[in-house]
Amino acid sequence: MAELTMRRTRMPRPAITVASAVLVSAVAVCLLAPVLWPLDQSAVDLAQTRLAPSWAHPAGTDDLGRDVAHRTLYGLRVSLLVGVVAALVATLIGGVVGGIAGTLGGPVDRLLMRIVDTVAALPHLLLGIFIVAMLRPSLGAVVLSVGLTHWLSTARIVRSELLSLRTRPFIDAAISGGAGRLRVLTRHLLPHVLPKLALATTLMVPHAVWHETALSFLGLGLPPHLASLGNMINDGQGSLLTGAWWASLMPGLVIVIVTLALAAVVARWRDRLDPRVRAELQL
């Protein structure tokens, strides 16, 4: 019955195919954009402001005469870059904290878990805003903000996995055979933890992309003249009052479509590797 339920909840194969095609196309466009469509981030054309979508400008222009479709490609590059790097930073921090807690146990474990619980009690977005506000708005500040607010679930997963592995018979056999703590950790524990770390990283990318977009929308991301999906949506608010709805439409659609495709592909991979990880990560 459980297996039947799991099969029913899995995403249909055509949906996965479409999601994969969308994701591959987005990555290819991001990689090729600087070569095929060079963009001067600071260039403006006041004679072309707020033009409606046309053949010359498929997504229209913004209030500074910049092509919305052109800038959306560069904004997507920033969002995906921040999402991947921030997810790696969060996984590294969570893996180290969870690894120390699960390996040492005792008072160290209790102290680290209380720190995790304390940080988890704070709203992620509010904490991210505080971190960016303490630093100069930049790509590095946004990555650090997202990474420092998304490592908690990874720490819990690594810690619980290590505590479970420490009670397995093969660990007792390795210790009885004279293996030291470092050898047990590197040869017997880490190989079992790394697949979940990789899965946690990929599950975190869509959340990191949305977090970066939210920060940029609030004006706490990249400098305003640089293309970012959050910046573009924020800039398009003023144009909505004049009827120029297209300034925010395309970046908004792109961030929704790409993150949904990414989440679908990651969920499929998660189900094939370990159906329990998503529930444990609470993502």
Side-chain angles (χ1 to χ4, degrees):
M1 181 63 70
E3 183 179 355
L4 180 60
T5 303
M6 184 177 299
R7 287 179 180 176
R8 286 178 179 175
T9 57
R10 284 179 179 174
M11 190 169 295
R13 187 175 296 274
I16 294 299
T17 302
V18 172
S20 301
V22 169
L23 192 57
V24 170
S25 300
V27 173
V29 167
C30 291
L31 294 176
L32 296 176
V35 178
L36 301 179
W37 305 285
L39 175 67
D40 183 0
Q41 299 276 1
S42 59
V44 299
D45 187 356
L46 298 180
Q48 302 287 325
T49 60
R50 296 176 181 172
L51 296 180
S54 62
W55 286 110
H57 304 284
T61 61
D62 61 11
D63 56 353
L64 293 178
R66 299 172 297 190
D67 187 273
V68 174
H70 206 167
R71 285 175 56 80
T72 299
L73 299 179
Y74 282 77
L76 180 60
R77 296 180 74 234
V78 172
S79 294
L80 291 180
L81 175 62
V82 171
V84 172
V85 176
L88 291 174
V89 172
T91 302
L92 177 61
I93 297 174
V96 170
V97 173
I100 295 175
T103 302
L104 299 181
V108 175
D109 177 29
R110 290 191 292 272
L111 174 62
L112 290 177
M113 287 303 101
R114 295 298 76 76
I115 294 176
V116 169
D117 293 338
T118 301
V119 178
L122 301 173
H124 284 181
L125 183 57
L126 182 60
L127 183 59
I129 291 173
F130 174 78
I131 293 173
V132 173
M134 297 295 293
L135 303 171
R136 182 179 180 181
S138 62
L139 184 63
V142 175
V143 169
L144 188 61
S145 171
V146 178
L148 291 177
T149 55
H150 286 71
W151 60 272
L152 308 173
S153 56
T154 303
R156 290 194 180 105
I157 284 296
V158 173
R159 178 229 180 210
S160 63
E161 187 71 11
L162 289 177
L163 291 178
S164 174
L165 289 172
R166 286 173 56 185
T167 62
R168 304 285 179 85
F170 71 91
I171 297 297
D172 294 335
I175 295 176
S176 300
R181 177 174 293 180
L182 181 60
R183 182 176 179 82
V184 170
L185 177 63
T186 56
R187 296 294 299 273
H188 301 284
L189 296 179
L190 284 182
H192 289 82
V193 174
L194 286 179
K196 285 196 173 184
L197 279 177
L199 199 50
T201 303
T202 53
L203 283 169
M204 215 173 297
V205 171
H207 297 266
V209 170
W210 278 103
H211 196 97
E212 180 275 329
T213 304
L215 289 174
S216 296
F217 176 76
L218 295 173
L220 295 172
L222 296 178
H225 71 280
L226 295 179
S228 166
L229 294 181
N231 281 344
M232 293 180 66
I233 297 174
N234 186 21
D235 293 340
Q237 289 185 99
S239 300
L240 288 175
L241 300 177
T242 63
W245 46 267
W246 52 85
S248 296
L249 179 63
M250 186 169 183
L253 285 177
V254 166
I255 192 66
V256 171
I257 292 173
V258 171
T259 51
L260 286 179
L262 180 59
V265 172
V266 170
R268 179 68 173 181
W269 182 46
R270 172 209 70 209
D271 291 338
R272 297 190 65 174
L273 292 182
D274 191 346
R276 301 169 299 172
V277 172
R278 185 176 178 85
E280 293 173 350
L281 284 170
Q282 298 179 351
L283 290 177

